[in-house]
Amino acid sequence: MSTPATPAPYTEPWLRGTHTEVPAVGRAVLHALELALDDIRKWTEDLTNAEVHAQPLGLPSVAFHLRHIARSADRILTYAEGDQLTADQLAVMKAEQTGAETLAELRGELEASFHNAAARIRALANGNYDEPRGVGRKQLPTSMGGALIHVADHTQRHTGQVVTTAKALKAMRDPA
């Protein structure tokens, strides 16, 4: 999902007049992903690779959140599509807590994930939002629309945590 360079002054994605060919719900999810990417780029741009993996005040690392955002979008969209997770998706989920990727690699994974997600969201956007879906082994009930919306809210929740952790890391830098 390629987001054009953000103009100055900043205009949030939902106010840019983009994705008008996509029905409103799908468009809102696409805009939420773009907003997350804008915020992540802004708040992580000057973090060092060491800072990205740090856990200030015991908080989960920025690296964890970036991995989790990228990989959970895939999982949630799998449920929205009416499928269950594969063994590979489960293995990737278990590996989210660890890794030594650079910030550039993590952001690259996130951008690739959002690009893939955008195509899947567009395909779902004309579907029946009330169509039942089951999540996980217990087949917890939701709908296609519920899973689609959860991609947006889950992404935004973890993006907020990236921003907060990045701010804490920057505040803790040695001023010397």
Side-chain angles (χ1 to χ4, degrees):
M1 161 177 232
S2 177
T3 303
T6 51
Y10 181 75
T11 303
E12 289 193 4
W14 69 283
L15 295 170
R16 294 179 191 162
T18 57
H19 310 300
T20 56
E21 74 287 358
V22 180
V25 172
R27 183 177 337 127
V29 177
L30 293 171
H31 287 151
L33 297 183
E34 289 175 349
L35 180 61
L37 199 52
D38 287 353
D39 285 343
I40 288 166
R41 286 175 177 151
K42 174 182 177 180
W43 292 102
T44 65
E45 72 181 341
D46 66 340
L47 293 179
T48 67
N49 292 324
E51 287 173 325
V52 167
H53 290 280
Q55 294 182 286
L57 309 170
L59 296 170
S61 70
V62 167
F64 161 74
H65 288 295
L66 296 180
R67 278 188 225 102
H68 184 67
I69 292 167
R71 298 170 189 182
S72 64
D74 173 56
R75 293 191 297 269
I76 298 166
L77 286 169
T78 297
Y79 292 128
E81 293 162 339
D83 296 323
Q84 293 301 305
L85 301 183
T86 66
D88 285 344
Q89 286 172 307
L90 293 170
V92 167
M93 178 176 65
K94 291 176 183 172
E96 287 177 1
Q97 295 288 340
T98 60
E101 308 92 336
T102 65
L103 175 58
E105 290 167 336
L106 290 162
R107 285 176 34 170
E109 179 182 356
L110 183 66
E111 290 172 11
S113 170
F114 282 4
H115 180 76
N116 175 274
R120 295 166 76 184
I121 291 162
R122 287 172 181 278
L124 290 165
N126 288 308
N128 177 359
Y129 294 123
D130 294 323
E131 191 172 322
R133 296 290 192 253
V135 176
R137 285 178 285 213
K138 294 183 180 180
Q139 289 296 286
L140 298 172
T142 192
S143 64
M144 186 274 283
L148 190 61
I149 295 298
H150 189 58
V151 171
D153 66 41
H154 185 265
T155 296
Q156 287 298 312
R157 181 170 49 242
H158 282 278
T159 298
Q161 292 174 314
V162 168
V163 170
T164 299
T165 303
K167 286 181 177 182
L169 287 162
K170 291 174 185 184
M172 297 169 72
R173 287 177 175 161
D174 185 4

